[in-house]
Amino acid sequence: MTKLLAGVAVGALLAAGGYYAYGNSQDGAVTADETVMTETAPVAAGSVEDAASFLAETEAEIADFGEFAAHTAWVYANFITEDTEYLVSRMSAEATELSVQQAGATARFADTELPLDMRRKMTMLTAGITLPTPAGGDYAQRLAELTTRMSSAYSTGTIDIDDTPVTLDTLEVMMGTERDPEFLAMMWNDWRAAINPAQMSQDYAAMVEIANAGARELGFSDLAEMWLSNYDMPADEMEAEVERLWGQVEPLYEQLHCYVRDGLNETYGEDVQATTGPIRADLLGNMWAQGWAPINDIVGIQSSDGGGYDLTQLLEANDYTPRQMVETGERFYTSLGLDPLPETFWERSLITRPRDRDVVCHASAWNLDNEEDIRIKMCTHVNAEDFRTVHHELGHNFYQRAYRGQDMLFRNGAHDGFHEAIGDFVALSVTPDYLVQIGLLDQDEVPDESADLGLMMDLALDKIAFLPFAVMMDQWRWRVFRGEITPDQYNTAWWELREQYQGLMPPVDRPADAFDPGAKYHIANNVPYLRYFLSYILQFQFQQAACDMAGWEGPLNRCTVYGNEEVGQRFNEMMEMGASQPWPDALEAFTGTREMDGSAIIAYFQPLMTHLEEQNTGSSCGWE
Ligand code: X8Z
Ligand code: ZN
């Protein structure tokens, strides 16, 4: 009996760290040849009853293959060797092949009038494959070889500092703490050379060709249209939606950019950072300039009583261990009334980088069996950024556990931005008052009102700086998938978008064979990025709604919902829905509104916006 599989290709499962554990299969109902025929020849329309049994079988197979796939991917991600590369590549090829056949099998029901939930499942089976291939041939094997090679090149890359190899998780910390511009440029440049860019660029182009052909065979014009078809609306409407949301927040980004550029100019001088034009991408405290909070000490706002606090210092001063950071994160969720994590979470998670083997260090949350075998995998460092990331990852796990009662295909986020927003929303409650409650800050150290702008700035360096980065990541990919950016233009087009959206420039000339997009995890590992942009919009909508529910009347940035079981219950109700309803229904269940809206994040930062506009008068903002 042939095992057939559909749903999200395991390339995606791997890449997203397994929080989608759906790969699925169906026992020999359709052969590959028949699937090809469905593309070209008319087929008899299936009845509603046929559709129901097709979906039931499919979902059972999703559960079965998904579990196997997740365990294989977990072993690879925790122990990268030739052998686990072989295993994951083979599993991934099988997953893709079968998922594509399964997607093809939904064509039989294209004209059947189906109940809404069944229609949703059919759409998920078709549009939910991150990297499809044409049916038949050896496409899936070739694709798996390409994606595995890119993934391993990214995760095993190191650079030499003083003749010692340094891994990315350590480099990431150093990009935030080092202040010598030459040293920063060296780390920045060497990391981009460490991923085997010449090979990766070729692999990426070959991958795009296969996946685009796969998307076309499934009825999409290209992979961009397919990626944009997972949001309960037509792809072009979703793209317009992104433009609308970006337009709402862009003015705030421009003010932040202007203020930070001035701060860097004062710190480093005109030769390193001019007061006009783009900002040097290596000076912003992050390897990709996607979050700038680590340079708050040089570009941030000091309050009159100096009353800010440094979460990294608090964690260090209290001798926090990585495991304690995770325990603290868990306690937040249980304070909302959610059940504690299972014992197996603690036995099976990877919390720090092992010293003697290669692993995928990029933080991820996993659901191995779609029931209760949930885990995280992180190379945690004791600092503020990873404290937030711990809450982020746990958000994935608590969401996964909340929707486990749903049908298999609905065990997912309302959309992928919801999945990313759960934990970040929770981390917005990490306020001074909260830190007092968990004993990290003394009551008399709580900064007074005069520190509000400084605290807000610290958060804006993270949340506002991120927005244009998140938009440009998939702008680049959509254009690549559409053929508007050809392989010889990969890197120059990347920098055009970096400049256009973020107002950044590279610190050193880019070599001809550079492939800077591939030096970012989600491109080397094919994780769509629009989800994070949507998450950064949504998490402030969640926070606004939660603080309203809690009856909070002070400034939003001081609101914590720690210990609030009423909020927890409403939150859980949304999480339990999983992907069973269109996302506006889930959003409405928690916030009362059916639209994604940037006005929540704008309102949150309004006092900062006013302050920045005042401070920036006289500066020539923008970078044209
Ligand atoms: O990749 C992640 C998470 C795992 S889903 C750690 N994030 C994005 C990134 O690191 O680029 C979280 C925020 C953005
Ligand atoms: Zn995430």
Side-chain angles (χ1 to χ4, degrees):
M1 193 182 295
T2 330
K3 283 270 185 184
L4 301 180
L5 180 123
V8 168
V10 177
L13 188 148
L14 245 184
Y19 77 71
Y20 292 96
Y22 57 4
N24 63 15
S25 58
Q26 183 205 3
D27 284 342
V30 183
T31 69
D33 287 343
E34 284 161 4
T35 307
V36 173
M37 272 178 55
T38 64
E39 301 301 321
T40 52
V43 272
S47 66
V48 178
E49 291 72 31
D50 287 348
S53 56
F54 164 74
L55 287 171
E57 280 173 39
T58 299
E59 292 189 282
E61 295 295 339
I62 287 172
D64 181 50
F65 193 90
E67 204 173 335
F68 166 67
H71 283 274
T72 310
W74 176 266
V75 172
Y76 164 77
N78 281 273
F79 188 31
I80 305 175
T81 67
E82 294 265 306
D83 306 297
T84 57
E85 282 173 352
Y86 169 90
L87 292 171
V88 86
S89 191
R90 200 161 158 169
M91 173 278 285
S92 171
E94 193 185 341
T96 303
E97 220 165 50
L98 300 176
S99 72
V100 164
Q101 287 167 352
Q102 196 95 58
T106 65
R108 189 151 60 97
F109 306 104
D111 297 325
T112 312
E113 259 194 55
L114 294 175
L116 260 182
D117 60 332
M118 288 170 68
R119 180 51 63 204
R120 278 174 69 66
K121 288 180 180 178
M122 296 289 180
T123 306
M124 287 171 177
L125 289 174
T126 328
I129 310 174
T130 305
L131 296 177
T133 63
D138 62 352
Y139 292 110
Q141 284 73 21
R142 277 163 51 201
L143 181 76
E145 194 182 308
L146 296 165
T147 54
T148 305
R149 186 158 59 220
M150 289 192 285
S151 176
S152 288
Y154 185 92
S155 289
T156 61
T158 58
I159 75 169
D160 282 341
I161 299 181
D162 299 333
D163 295 324
T164 307
V166 181
T167 57
L168 178 61
D169 56 307
T170 299
L171 287 174
E172 285 185 62
V173 176
M174 290 169 77
M175 288 301 293
T177 52
E178 297 293 327
R179 298 288 183 252
D180 170 2
E182 274 180 35
F183 189 64
L184 287 168
M186 181 276 288
M187 289 192 290
W188 187 97
N189 184 61
D190 287 4
W191 168 247
R192 280 153 181 80
I195 55 151
N196 201 354
Q199 176 73 51
M200 201 193 280
S201 172
Q202 271 185 38
D203 287 349
Y204 198 83
M207 178 201 82
V208 168
E209 206 168 303
I210 296 173
N212 258 337
R216 283 187 207 110
E217 207 169 279
L218 289 173
F220 299 92
S221 53
D222 51 46
L223 191 57
E225 189 189 31
M226 197 161 153
W227 280 18
L228 279 160
S229 294
N230 287 291
Y231 296 94
D232 296 303
M233 65 177 92
D236 56 339
E237 280 175 35
M238 186 57 197
E239 199 176 352
E241 197 55 5
V242 177
E243 282 302 308
R244 180 181 69 80
L245 295 168
W246 167 235
Q248 283 185 290
V249 295
E250 190 179 5
L252 180 49
Y253 178 71
E254 274 178 22
Q255 293 300 321
L256 183 71
H257 179 280
C258 194
Y259 186 83
V260 166
R261 185 177 56 191
D262 276 350
L264 290 172
N265 175 269
E266 273 166 39
T267 306
Y268 291 113
E270 192 71 16
D271 289 347
V272 174
Q273 179 60 59
T275 51
T276 57
I279 298 177
R280 238 180 78 163
D282 59 332
L283 303 180
L284 290 159
N286 175 277
M287 184 56 91
W288 307 275
Q290 69 181 64
W292 309 345
I295 59 164
N296 187 46
D297 60 332
I298 54 177
V299 300
I301 298 167
Q302 297 302 313
S303 67
S304 51
D305 70 345
Y309 63 91
D310 181 334
L311 185 50
T312 299
Q313 280 166 19
L314 294 179
L315 292 166
E316 282 172 358
N318 285 274
D319 293 326
Y320 258 56
T321 62
R323 187 183 163 107
Q324 254 177 302
M325 288 162 65
V326 184
E327 286 164 356
T328 305
E330 181 198 27
R331 200 150 58 238
F332 196 106
Y333 290 87
T334 54
S335 89
L336 297 176
L338 304 174
D339 288 337
L341 294 163
E343 204 40 52
T344 52
F345 172 92
W346 300 102
E347 291 160 6
R348 298 170 189 174
S349 289
L350 181 85
I351 296 178
T352 50
R353 177 189 265 283
R355 71 187 77 218
D356 59 353
R357 60 184 204 257
D358 280 319
V359 298
V360 177
C361 255
H362 189 85
S364 53
W366 295 63
N367 187 353
L368 280 280
D369 61 354
N370 283 299
E371 297 291 343
E372 56 188 17
D373 189 353
I374 47 183
R375 316 175 189 175
I376 61 169
K377 190 178 58 56
M378 276 183 71
C379 299
T380 316
H381 291 255
V382 178
N383 60 34
E385 190 177 336
D386 278 0
F387 192 65
R388 282 186 197 287
T389 303
V390 161
H391 290 78
H392 175 95
E393 298 309 335
L394 291 181
H396 287 306
N397 282 156
F398 278 96
Y399 203 2
Q400 287 159 343
R401 205 182 47 187
Y403 58 57
R404 62 180 272 195
Q406 294 289 344
D407 288 356
M408 198 58 215
L409 278 166
F410 293 154
R411 291 185 209 178
N412 205 345
H415 67 45
D416 52 10
F418 281 68
H419 229 302
E420 299 303 336
I422 301 295
D424 281 16
F425 152 66
V426 163
L428 287 177
S429 275
V430 178
T431 60
D433 278 350
Y434 167 69
L435 294 174
V436 170
Q437 292 190 59
I438 64 167
L440 268 177
L441 198 65
D442 286 338
Q443 183 65 48
D444 61 8
E445 291 171 323
V446 173
D448 68 23
E449 259 171 56
S450 72
D452 266 342
L453 281 176
L455 296 175
M456 219 176 268
M457 181 69 174
D458 187 39
L459 194 67
L461 288 169
D462 185 6
K463 302 296 182 184
I464 303 299
F466 181 77
L467 297 165
F469 175 73
V471 175
M472 70 76 58
M473 278 279 286
D474 278 2
Q475 283 289 342
W476 183 82
R477 280 191 286 207
W478 296 339
R479 287 175 203 197
V480 167
F481 299 157
R482 287 169 181 153
E484 294 161 13
I485 297 172
T486 53
D488 57 310
Q489 300 164 334
Y490 277 171
N491 216 50
T492 46
W494 172 259
W495 280 103
E496 279 161 22
L497 289 167
R498 287 277 260 178
E499 177 171 340
Q500 181 191 332
Y501 281 95
Q502 291 183 276
L504 299 184
M505 62 179 186
V508 287
D509 281 344
R510 306 314 298 135
D513 65 354
F515 184 54
D516 295 336
K520 174 66 191 162
Y521 175 83
H522 302 71
I523 289 183
N525 292 274
N526 292 294
V527 185
Y529 214 78
L530 177 59
R531 61 187 61 180
Y532 302 105
F533 175 70
L534 302 177
S535 154
Y536 276 50
I537 301 288
L538 280 172
Q539 60 192 255
F540 287 91
Q541 292 184 252
F542 292 169
Q543 179 70 350
Q544 203 173 50
C547 296
D548 275 353
M549 263 175 245
W552 177 258
E553 281 171 0
L556 258 186
N557 71 313
R558 296 285 185 137
C559 167
T560 182
V561 297
Y562 181 63
N564 191 319
E565 295 198 8
E566 188 203 330
V567 169
Q569 194 187 330
R570 284 276 298 273
F571 190 49
N572 198 42
E573 279 162 21
M574 173 180 77
M575 292 202 295
E576 281 176 346
M577 291 168 73
S580 64
Q581 309 291 328
W583 63 260
D585 291 343
L587 186 59
E588 190 172 24
F590 187 55
T591 68
T593 152
R594 300 182 58 79
E595 272 171 24
M596 292 187 279
D597 185 3
S599 60
I601 186 170
I602 292 297
Y604 191 102
F605 289 106
Q606 189 54 53
L608 179 69
M609 177 71 169
T610 308
H611 178 78
L612 292 179
E613 279 172 337
E614 278 163 27
Q615 296 293 308
N616 289 334
T617 44
S619 301
S620 53
C621 293
W623 49 85
E624 291 296 289

